[in-house]
Coordinates of all heavy atoms in Angstrom, one line a residue:
D1 N 79.7 152.6 96.0 CA 78.8 153.7 95.8 C 79.6 155.0 95.8 O 80.2 155.3 97.0 CB 77.7 153.7 96.9 CG 76.7 154.8 96.6 OD1 76.9 155.7 95.7 OD2 75.7 154.9 97.4
T2 N 79.8 155.7 94.7 CA 80.8 156.8 94.8 C 80.1 158.2 95.2 O 80.8 159.2 95.2 CB 81.3 157.0 93.3 OG1 80.3 157.4 92.4 CG2 82.1 155.7 92.9
R3 N 78.8 158.1 95.5 CA 78.1 159.4 95.8 C 78.7 160.1 97.0 O 78.6 161.3 97.1 CB 76.6 159.1 96.0 CG 75.9 158.8 94.7 CD 74.5 158.5 94.9 NE 74.4 157.2 95.6 CZ 73.2 156.6 95.8 NH1 72.1 157.1 95.5 NH2 73.2 155.4 96.5
G4 N 79.4 159.4 98.0 CA 79.9 160.0 99.1 C 81.4 160.3 98.9 O 82.0 160.8 99.8
I5 N 81.9 160.1 97.7 CA 83.3 160.4 97.5 C 83.5 161.6 96.7 O 82.8 161.9 95.7 CB 84.0 159.2 96.7 CG1 83.8 157.9 97.6 CG2 85.4 159.4 96.3 CD1 84.3 156.6 96.8
P6 N 84.4 162.6 97.1 CA 84.5 163.8 96.4 C 85.0 163.5 94.9 O 85.8 162.6 94.7 CB 85.5 164.6 97.2 CG 86.0 163.9 98.3 CD 85.2 162.6 98.3
D7 N 84.6 164.4 94.0 CA 85.1 164.3 92.6 C 86.6 164.5 92.6 O 87.2 165.2 93.5 CB 84.4 165.4 91.8 CG 83.0 165.1 91.5 OD1 82.5 164.1 91.8 OD2 82.3 166.1 90.9
G8 N 87.2 163.8 91.6 CA 88.6 164.0 91.4 C 89.3 162.6 91.1 O 88.6 161.6 90.9
L9 N 90.6 162.6 91.2 CA 91.4 161.4 90.9 C 91.6 160.7 92.3 O 92.0 161.3 93.3 CB 92.7 161.8 90.3 CG 92.7 162.3 88.9 CD1 94.1 162.7 88.5 CD2 92.1 161.2 88.0
H10 N 91.3 159.5 92.3 CA 91.5 158.6 93.5 C 92.1 157.3 93.0 O 92.0 156.8 91.9 CB 90.2 158.3 94.2 CG 89.4 159.4 94.6 ND1 88.8 160.3 93.8 CD2 89.3 159.9 95.9 CE1 88.2 161.3 94.5 NE2 88.5 161.0 95.9
R11 N 92.9 156.6 94.0 CA 93.3 155.2 93.7 C 92.8 154.4 94.9 O 92.5 154.9 96.0 CB 94.8 155.2 93.5 CG 95.7 155.6 94.7 CD 97.1 155.6 94.3 NE 97.9 156.0 95.4 CZ 99.3 155.8 95.4 NH1 99.8 155.2 94.5 NH2 99.9 156.3 96.4
F12 N 92.8 153.1 94.6 CA 92.2 152.1 95.6 C 93.4 151.1 96.0 O 94.2 150.8 95.2 CB 91.1 151.4 95.0 CG 89.9 152.4 94.7 CD1 89.9 152.9 93.4 CD2 89.0 152.6 95.6 CE1 88.8 153.8 93.1 CE2 88.0 153.5 95.2 CZ 87.9 154.1 94.0
R13 N 93.2 150.7 97.3 CA 94.2 149.6 97.7 C 93.3 148.6 98.3 O 92.4 148.9 99.2 CB 95.1 150.2 98.7 CG 96.1 149.2 99.2 CD 97.1 149.7 100.2 NE 96.6 149.6 101.6 CZ 96.6 150.5 102.5 NH1 97.1 151.7 102.2 NH2 96.1 150.3 103.7
I14 N 93.5 147.3 98.0 CA 92.9 146.2 98.7 C 93.9 145.4 99.5 O 95.0 145.2 99.1 CB 92.2 145.2 97.7 CG1 91.4 144.1 98.3 CG2 93.1 144.7 96.7 CD1 90.1 144.6 98.8
E15 N 93.5 145.1 100.7 CA 94.4 144.3 101.6 C 93.7 142.9 101.8 O 92.5 142.9 102.1 CB 94.6 145.0 102.9 CG 95.6 146.2 102.9 CD 95.9 146.7 104.2 OE1 95.4 146.2 105.2 OE2 96.7 147.7 104.2
A16 N 94.5 141.8 101.8 CA 94.1 140.5 102.2 C 94.9 140.1 103.4 O 96.1 140.2 103.3 CB 94.3 139.6 101.0
R17 N 94.2 139.7 104.5 CA 94.9 139.3 105.7 C 94.5 137.9 106.1 O 93.3 137.5 105.9 CB 94.5 140.3 106.8 CG 94.9 141.7 106.5 CD 94.5 142.6 107.7 NE 94.6 144.0 107.4 CZ 93.6 144.8 107.3 NH1 92.4 144.4 107.6 NH2 93.9 146.0 107.0
D18 N 95.4 137.2 106.7 CA 95.1 135.8 107.2 C 95.1 135.7 108.7 O 95.4 134.7 109.2 CB 96.0 134.8 106.5 CG 97.5 134.9 107.0 OD1 97.8 135.9 107.7 OD2 98.2 134.0 106.5
Y19 N 94.8 136.8 109.4 CA 95.1 136.9 110.9 C 94.1 136.0 111.6 O 94.4 135.6 112.8 CB 94.9 138.3 111.4 CG 93.5 138.9 111.3 CD1 92.7 138.8 112.4 CD2 93.1 139.6 110.3 CE1 91.4 139.3 112.4 CE2 91.8 140.2 110.2 CZ 91.0 140.1 111.3 OH 89.8 140.6 111.3
K20 N 92.9 135.6 111.0 CA 92.0 134.8 111.8 C 92.5 133.4 112.0 O 92.0 132.7 112.9 CB 90.6 134.8 111.1 CG 90.0 136.1 111.1 CD 88.5 136.0 110.6 CE 87.8 137.4 110.9 NZ 86.4 137.2 110.7
N21 N 93.5 133.0 111.3 CA 94.0 131.5 111.4 C 95.4 131.5 111.9 O 96.0 130.5 111.9 CB 94.0 130.9 110.0 CG 92.6 130.7 109.5 OD1 92.0 131.4 108.7 ND2 91.8 129.7 110.1
N22 N 95.9 132.7 112.3 CA 97.3 132.7 112.9 C 97.5 133.5 114.1 O 96.7 134.5 114.4 CB 98.2 133.4 111.7 CG 98.2 132.5 110.5 OD1 98.9 131.5 110.5 ND2 97.6 132.9 109.4
P23 N 98.4 133.1 115.0 CA 98.6 133.9 116.3 C 99.2 135.2 115.9 O 99.8 135.4 114.9 CB 99.6 133.0 117.1 CG 100.1 131.9 116.1 CD 99.2 131.9 114.9
A24 N 99.0 136.2 116.8 CA 99.5 137.5 116.7 C 101.0 137.5 116.4 O 101.8 136.7 117.0 CB 99.2 138.4 117.9
G25 N 101.4 138.2 115.3 CA 102.8 138.2 115.0 C 103.1 137.3 113.8 O 104.2 137.4 113.2
E26 N 102.2 136.3 113.6 CA 102.5 135.4 112.5 C 101.5 135.6 111.3 O 101.6 134.9 110.3 CB 102.4 134.0 113.0 CG 103.5 133.6 114.0 CD 103.6 132.2 114.4 OE1 102.9 131.3 113.7 OE2 104.0 131.9 115.6
E27 N 100.7 136.6 111.4 CA 99.7 136.8 110.3 C 100.5 137.5 109.2 O 101.5 138.1 109.3 CB 98.5 137.7 110.8 CG 98.9 139.1 111.2 CD 99.5 139.3 112.6 OE1 99.7 138.3 113.3 OE2 99.6 140.4 113.0
R28 N 99.9 137.3 107.9 CA 100.4 137.9 106.8 C 99.4 138.9 106.1 O 98.2 138.6 106.3 CB 100.8 136.8 105.8 CG 101.9 135.8 106.3 CD 103.2 136.5 106.3 NE 104.3 135.5 106.6 CZ 104.9 135.6 107.8 NH1 104.6 136.5 108.7 NH2 105.8 134.7 108.1
I29 N 99.9 139.9 105.5 CA 99.1 140.8 104.8 C 99.6 141.1 103.3 O 100.8 141.2 103.2 CB 99.1 142.2 105.4 CG1 98.5 142.1 106.9 CG2 98.3 143.3 104.6 CD1 98.6 143.5 107.7
G30 N 98.8 140.9 102.4 CA 99.1 141.2 100.9 C 98.3 142.3 100.5 O 97.1 142.5 101.0
D31 N 98.8 143.1 99.6 CA 97.9 144.2 99.1 C 98.2 144.4 97.6 O 99.2 144.0 97.0 CB 98.1 145.4 99.9 CG 99.5 146.1 99.7 OD1 100.5 145.4 99.2 OD2 99.7 147.4 100.1
A32 N 97.3 145.2 97.0 CA 97.4 145.6 95.6 C 96.9 147.0 95.5 O 95.9 147.4 96.2 CB 96.7 144.7 94.6
V33 N 97.6 147.8 94.7 CA 97.1 149.3 94.5 C 96.8 149.6 93.1 O 97.6 149.2 92.2 CB 98.3 150.2 95.0 CG1 97.8 151.7 94.8 CG2 98.6 150.0 96.4
S34 N 95.6 150.2 92.8 CA 95.2 150.5 91.5 C 95.9 151.8 91.0 O 96.5 152.5 91.8 CB 93.7 150.8 91.5 OG 93.4 152.0 92.0
G35 N 95.8 152.0 89.7 CA 96.2 153.4 89.2 C 95.1 154.4 89.6 O 94.1 154.0 90.2
F36 N 95.4 155.6 89.3 CA 94.4 156.6 89.6 C 93.1 156.5 88.7 O 93.2 156.2 87.5 CB 94.9 158.0 89.5 CG 95.8 158.4 90.7 CD1 97.2 158.3 90.5 CD2 95.3 158.8 91.8 CE1 98.0 158.5 91.7 CE2 96.1 159.1 92.9 CZ 97.4 159.0 92.8
Q37 N 92.0 156.7 89.3 CA 90.7 156.6 88.7 C 90.0 157.9 88.8 O 90.0 158.5 89.9 CB 89.8 155.4 89.2 CG 90.6 154.2 89.3 CD 90.9 153.6 87.9 OE1 90.0 153.6 87.0 NE2 92.0 153.0 87.8
T38 N 89.2 158.4 87.8 CA 88.4 159.6 87.9 C 87.1 159.3 88.6 O 86.3 158.4 88.1 CB 88.3 160.3 86.6 OG1 89.5 160.6 86.0 CG2 87.4 161.5 86.7
I39 N 86.7 160.0 89.6 CA 85.3 160.0 90.2 C 84.7 161.2 89.9 O 85.2 162.4 90.2 CB 85.4 159.7 91.7 CG1 85.9 158.2 91.9 CG2 84.0 159.8 92.3 CD1 85.9 157.7 93.3
D40 N 83.5 161.2 89.2 CA 82.8 162.4 88.8 C 81.3 162.2 89.0 O 80.6 161.4 88.3 CB 83.1 162.7 87.3 CG 82.3 163.9 86.8 OD1 81.7 164.6 87.6 OD2 82.4 164.2 85.6
N41 N 80.8 162.7 90.1 CA 79.4 162.6 90.4 C 78.7 163.9 90.0 O 77.5 164.1 90.5 CB 79.3 162.5 92.0 CG 79.9 161.2 92.4 OD1 79.4 160.1 91.9 ND2 80.7 161.1 93.3
T42 N 79.2 164.8 89.3 CA 78.6 166.0 88.8 C 77.4 165.6 87.9 O 77.6 164.9 87.0 CB 79.6 166.9 88.1 OG1 80.7 167.1 88.9 CG2 78.9 168.2 87.7
M43 N 76.2 166.3 88.2 CA 75.1 166.0 87.4 C 75.2 166.7 86.0 O 75.9 167.7 85.9 CB 73.9 166.7 88.0 CG 73.4 166.0 89.3 SD 73.0 164.3 89.2 CE 71.4 164.4 88.3
P44 N 74.7 166.1 85.0 CA 74.8 166.7 83.6 C 74.1 168.0 83.6 O 73.2 168.3 84.4 CB 74.1 165.7 82.8 CG 74.0 164.4 83.4 CD 74.1 164.7 84.9
E45 N 74.6 169.0 82.8 CA 74.1 170.3 82.7 C 73.8 170.7 81.3 O 74.6 170.4 80.4 CB 75.2 171.3 83.3 CG 74.7 172.7 83.3 CD 75.8 173.6 83.9 OE1 76.7 173.1 84.7 OE2 75.7 174.8 83.5
I46 N 72.6 171.1 81.1 CA 72.2 171.6 79.7 C 72.6 173.0 79.6 O 72.3 173.9 80.3 CB 70.7 171.4 79.5 CG1 70.2 170.0 79.6 CG2 70.3 172.1 78.1 CD1 68.8 169.8 79.7
I47 N 73.6 173.2 78.6 CA 74.1 174.6 78.4 C 73.4 175.3 77.5 O 73.1 176.6 77.6 CB 75.6 174.5 78.0 CG1 76.3 173.7 79.2 CG2 76.2 175.8 77.7 CD1 77.8 173.5 78.8
R48 N 72.9 174.8 76.4 CA 72.1 175.4 75.4 C 70.9 174.6 75.0 O 71.1 173.4 74.7 CB 73.0 175.7 74.1 CG 72.3 176.4 73.1 CD 73.3 176.7 71.9 NE 72.5 177.3 70.9 CZ 73.0 177.4 69.6 NH1 74.2 176.8 69.3 NH2 72.3 177.9 68.7

């Protein structure tokens, strides 16, 4: 839901962790980062 995110360019990162099945120090983290995405929640405006 982008309504709480300010307008502009943003990128996203997702992390996947396996810590629930591994002792502390042996867990692994993988991640992926998106390119920049435009968020625009501005309401349409009738100019004329």
